[in-house]
Amino acid sequence: MSGDQRIEIASINGIEPHDIVNESLSDVNYYGDHVAGSDSKNWYYMNNRGVFKFNLTLNKWEVFDSNPIPFSTFIFGTKRYLTVTDSELKIAIGNKLYSYDLVSKVWTTKDININVKNGVIINNMLYAINNDDREFYEYNLTDNTSVLIYKPSNFNFNLEVLTYGADKIFFNPYQGESFYYNINNKSFTGMGRPRNFFGTYQNVALKYYNSKLYYIGGLTDAGKEHRIYEFDLNSRTWNEKTPMLIKGYSFSTHIKDGVFYIGLGYDRYGYTNDYMNIYDLNKDPY
């Protein structure tokens, strides 16, 4: 065959859904042990150096309040859930409920009759793991009464990470199946695990968005992860997304218009993570 030839080949999608920001922590004195949380608008972290807020325009953390917080974040701080509302930050630790007014920048403390290991605060209800018996309770913050919630026999609270979205509390334990708890019908539902992997998979960043749970980074027996998985609550299937450009664990995550801001936590070597991985879900071909 002679002459010019035209050969058709498959098209290649060269769009990278991830980007790295190097200077997101340059204006704050950050270290790894902290508590972090976000709602649909704002993202905060805190430690004994104060309260910090993420500036979405500049892609930078900024000092919001330089006064130290009234509790320690040194032990398992990154695993604790911080409830964020328009007016307050709330967290339950031990026998205390701590509330931070975002306008006055004043902390208040309330005694509670449960020893909280971790928990989610929704209006006047606290859904908490009790440190004394490792059981799950619904605790009324108005009248200080609690109700034991029976969990599946194959679900054990151990170094778990949790998050909240659409009236559901999602749990990823150290080992075994992940679950979510529906606060309306008061039932647990199993989700399995990505790749059907039921071994050690801890310090994962969990985030709910648009009827899907995202499972980001973490630690496995093979080391630090950069994978992102998506669990569709409607089809009940796991899907692997384009992996991050960084490996690490104990990340915190904020979502704005389908864009994930993934930062804080620890890097692949176990040091404080200085990078922000920005992930545009809308550009991910997977």
Side-chain angles (χ1 to χ4, degrees), residues 43-60:
W43 188 16
Y44 299 89
Y45 84 82
M46 59 180 68
N47 55 32
N48 63 12
R49 295 173 183 172
V51 178
F52 304 86
K53 183 179 180 180
F54 190 70
N55 186 319
L56 287 164
T57 302
L58 300 177
N59 285 337
K60 281 196 165 195

Side-chain angles (χ1 to χ4, degrees), residues 111-266:
D111 292 329
I112 52 178
N113 298 324
I114 184 173
N115 184 10
V116 178
K117 180 174 183 277
N118 206 349
V120 175
I121 301 161
I122 306 166
N123 298 320
N124 69 323
M125 302 303 295
L126 165 64
Y127 298 87
I129 302 166
N130 190 333
N131 234 336
D132 296 331
D133 58 11
R134 299 302 174 94
E135 295 293 345
F136 191 56
Y137 289 84
E138 180 183 85
Y139 185 91
N140 189 310
L141 293 168
T142 302
D143 60 17
N144 292 317
T145 58
S146 62
V147 176
L148 173 65
I149 300 170
Y150 292 97
K151 57 183 176 59
S153 59
N154 63 330
F155 181 25
N156 295 312
F157 294 125
N158 186 11
L159 299 176
E160 70 290 326
V161 177
L162 56 85
T163 194
Y164 172 75
D167 296 329
K168 299 174 182 65
I169 302 170
F170 300 88
F171 301 86
N172 180 70
Y174 174 75
Q175 293 179 326
E177 186 172 10
S178 295
F179 287 84
Y180 65 82
Y181 176 75
N182 188 311
I183 66 172
N184 294 322
N185 62 26
K186 303 183 185 301
S187 66
F188 280 95
T189 302
M191 296 184 292
R193 272 270 184 88
R195 296 177 288 152
N196 289 318
F197 182 75
F198 288 83
T200 300
Y201 212 144
Q202 62 174 320
N203 294 77
V204 174
L206 299 179
K207 199 69 175 179
Y208 174 86
Y209 180 70
N210 278 0
S211 298
K212 296 178 176 67
L213 177 71
Y214 291 87
Y215 197 96
I216 302 168
L219 284 168
T220 68
D221 294 331
K224 284 76 174 180
E225 286 286 347
H226 65 322
R227 293 182 175 93
I228 297 177
Y229 295 97
E230 174 190 84
F231 180 77
D232 189 314
L233 272 73
N234 296 318
S235 66
R236 294 193 50 76
T237 55
W238 287 97
N239 180 38
E240 186 168 359
K241 311 298 285 183
T242 300
M244 293 184 291
L245 300 177
I246 57 175
K247 288 187 175 183
Y249 59 99
S250 296
F251 295 131
S252 178
T253 305
H254 178 67
I255 303 175
K256 176 73 173 177
D257 298 328
V259 177
F260 287 60
Y261 298 81
I262 305 166
L264 306 178
Y266 302 92

